[in-house]
Amino acid sequence: MPLLVMKFGGTSVANIDRIRRAAKRVGVEVAKGYDVIVIVSAMAGRTNELVGWVDEISPLYDAREYDAVVSSGEAVTAGLMALTLQEMDIPARSWQGWQVPLRTNSSHSAARIEEIPTDNINAKFGEGMQVAVVAGFQGVSPEGRITTLGRGGSDTTAVAFAAAFGAERCDIYTDVDGVYTTDPRITDKARKLDKIAFEEMLELASLGAKVLQTRSVELAMRYNVRLRVLSSFEEQSDDAGTLVCAEEEIMESNVVNGIAYSRDEAKMTLISVADRPGIAAAIFGPLSDAGVNVDMIIQNISEEGRTDMTFSCPTNQVARAEKALKGAKEKGEINFHDLVADTNVAKVSAVGIGMRSQSGVAAKMFRTLRDEGINIKVISTSEIKISVLIDRKYMELAVQSLHDAFELDKTT
């Protein structure tokens, strides 16, 4: 039998009525002749509630017990979905991570998937089961303890299952009807894309788009798993949603396919650092050890043996970055006159695989921002992306003006 993976996010299973609606969608695919693996998230708000209880009892919690608590939300949803399908006379069974088993490493609360054996679930398909409902977000460590994959980990679970089982496709059901050229809440000219390349989706996800978790897109690209992003709340057709696929499946693409943004950015500057071989390693080594996610980096021209080093990171990591750098200074590993953090910035990015073969994208982007009176603080580029840091108060204006400048409301 052909196999399909369907993943339902928290809003799609937020209550019993929505679970029944999701189950009907599963039933449609079963009627088409598919065996189906359904990956479910916890009901909307439940994970936050569970995390809150853990924090209330033990702010410095044991990560193993944290995983035991927060993984329970997905287990409840899986059981309820299986019961709903059984009431529809569809042979279904729920599976927790340890029953598959979805094997991970021992990094509790941020585990990485190591293996998904297919024997147990395939054996049940062979015995007549038509739907395996798997609790997302969770696995089992080499020590036999429950692990979790980090927030948004159910997307990663779904893609990993699609890869392991050779699924025809992985459908991600959420509260949006696809991937848009930008956030429709910022401009009503945002357009839903029929297809988007893995690389573009990976950049958009890493730059702030909330549709798919970054790790899930990385896995999909590595194993060439075709993803489809769909709404749980709209009637579906065969071409509904957005297909995330290999670049070769897309006949022609816009030079720029999306404008992403992240408002939770900070710009940090080390003032007057000694300009010597190894200084970058001395700065960014401690930041890496502290788990600070550094993005954009700029080093000023050296004067009299001193230079300024600027980088960006998420605002919630500023305190961690300050602690790491001041600790390195106290140890004599680096020397700087001052450390300045600006938390009133935002990152805006233009993304498109067409940039590889088209010149002038950066010039148009910078000219557009200039015409709107928006000053650029930091610039970073890759083969298919240009990102800028700007004052946060201009973020929406920048997104709107760039979306217009690149005519993203028009189809190719």
Side-chain angles (χ1 to χ4, degrees):
M1 298 282 282
L3 188 135
L4 191 68
V5 173
M6 303 173 72
K7 182 264 178 177
F8 293 94
T11 55
S12 304
V13 292
N15 52 47
I16 298 301
D17 284 343
R18 290 187 180 180
I19 289 173
R20 286 178 176 143
R21 181 185 296 188
K24 288 179 181 177
R25 294 196 187 281
V26 176
V28 169
E29 301 300 341
V30 170
K32 292 178 182 178
Y34 285 104
D35 283 338
V36 181
I37 297 176
V38 175
I39 310 295
V40 292
S41 298
M43 299 164 83
R46 182 55 52 89
T47 301
N48 287 339
E49 181 182 44
L50 294 169
V51 170
W53 289 346
V54 172
D55 286 337
E56 185 176 343
I57 289 175
S58 178
L60 299 175
Y61 53 74
D62 181 333
R64 293 166 295 186
E65 302 308 330
Y66 169 93
D67 281 355
V69 174
V70 300
S71 64
S72 65
E74 282 72 16
V76 169
T77 311
L80 291 173
M81 176 66 79
L83 286 170
T84 304
L85 290 164
Q86 290 172 8
E87 288 297 304
M88 297 165 57
D89 293 323
I90 296 174
R93 183 63 65 197
S94 67
W95 299 74
Q96 295 188 43
W98 63 268
Q99 293 173 299
V100 175
L102 189 155
R103 298 191 177 114
T104 73
N105 61 16
S106 300
S107 299
H108 286 274
S109 79
R112 308 287 292 190
I113 298 172
E114 294 187 341
E115 184 185 13
I116 302 179
T118 60
D119 294 351
N120 288 345
I121 287 179
N122 277 336
K124 290 299 181 182
F125 278 136
E127 294 171 8
M129 179 185 72
Q130 291 180 292
V131 181
V133 185
V134 179
F137 175 60
Q138 59 172 249
V140 60
S141 73
E143 296 77 26
R145 302 288 309 184
I146 294 173
T147 56
T148 62
L149 308 181
R151 298 306 291 264
S154 292
D155 283 353
T156 302
T157 304
V159 175
F161 268 84
F165 284 81
E168 186 175 302
R169 194 180 64 247
C170 179
D171 288 348
I172 306 287
Y173 285 87
T174 181
D175 53 1
V176 296
D177 62 347
V179 180
Y180 279 74
T181 50
T182 196
D183 189 338
R185 295 170 298 182
I186 288 184
T187 173
D188 56 11
K189 294 180 181 179
R191 176 176 57 84
K192 184 174 74 68
L193 297 165
D194 294 326
K195 291 182 179 182
I196 186 169
F198 288 128
E199 288 181 82
E200 290 174 317
M201 190 67 245
L202 183 59
E203 289 284 11
L204 290 172
S206 66
L207 292 167
K210 307 297 185 185
V211 180
L212 289 171
Q213 190 212 35
T214 304
R215 277 171 65 190
S216 70
V217 185
E218 289 174 347
L219 267 181
M221 184 165 66
R222 184 185 309 164
Y223 294 103
N224 198 27
V225 174
R226 300 168 85 243
L227 295 176
R228 192 168 59 150
V229 180
L230 302 143
S231 170
S232 297
F233 309 109
E234 295 184 3
E235 294 300 320
Q236 303 297 345
S237 59
D238 289 339
D239 60 350
T242 299
L243 183 67
V244 186
C245 57
E247 184 178 341
E248 291 74 25
E249 288 193 54
I250 302 173
M251 292 293 293
E252 191 71 31
S253 179
N254 287 327
V255 176
V256 172
N257 240 350
I259 305 296
Y261 68 88
S262 173
R263 67 176 76 247
D264 299 319
E265 296 289 323
K267 179 171 74 76
M268 303 194 69
T269 302
L270 285 167
I271 297 175
S272 190
V273 183
D275 188 10
R276 58 174 173 79
I279 188 61
I283 292 170
F284 296 105
L287 292 172
S288 175
D289 294 341
V292 177
N293 184 19
V294 173
D295 182 18
M296 310 159 105
I297 301 171
I298 285 183
Q299 182 175 358
N300 288 350
I301 296 172
S302 176
E303 290 186 11
E304 298 179 356
R306 311 294 293 185
T307 185
D308 295 344
M309 187 79 76
T310 297
F311 63 90
S312 68
C313 68
T315 51
N316 62 4
Q317 295 180 8
V318 167
R320 196 184 308 170
E322 289 176 335
K323 182 179 179 180
L325 292 171
K326 289 176 181 176
K329 182 178 182 180
E330 289 171 1
K331 294 176 183 177
E333 296 171 357
I334 54 176
N335 183 279
F336 54 87
H337 287 178
D338 200 5
L339 174 58
V340 179
D342 181 359
T343 57
N344 291 310
V345 296
K347 179 167 61 180
V348 177
S349 308
V351 176
I353 54 176
M355 289 187 194
R356 290 190 182 122
S357 56
Q358 183 76 36
S359 61
V361 177
K364 178 181 281 191
M365 183 172 182
F366 301 153
R367 190 164 53 245
T368 300
L369 296 175
R370 177 204 65 191
D371 291 346
E372 296 293 345
I374 301 172
N375 185 46
I376 298 171
K377 296 176 177 288
V378 180
I379 300 168
S380 133
T381 65
S382 74
E383 192 178 24
I384 64 168
K385 171 204 73 178
I386 302 171
S387 295
V388 296
L389 274 189
I390 60 174
D391 286 330
R392 187 175 298 156
K393 63 183 178 180
Y394 295 120
M395 186 193 76
E396 293 193 7
L397 174 61
V399 171
Q400 292 164 354
S401 58
L402 290 171
H403 194 274
D404 289 345
F406 290 107
E407 300 181 324
L408 297 187
D409 55 325
K410 301 176 181 178
T411 57
T412 305

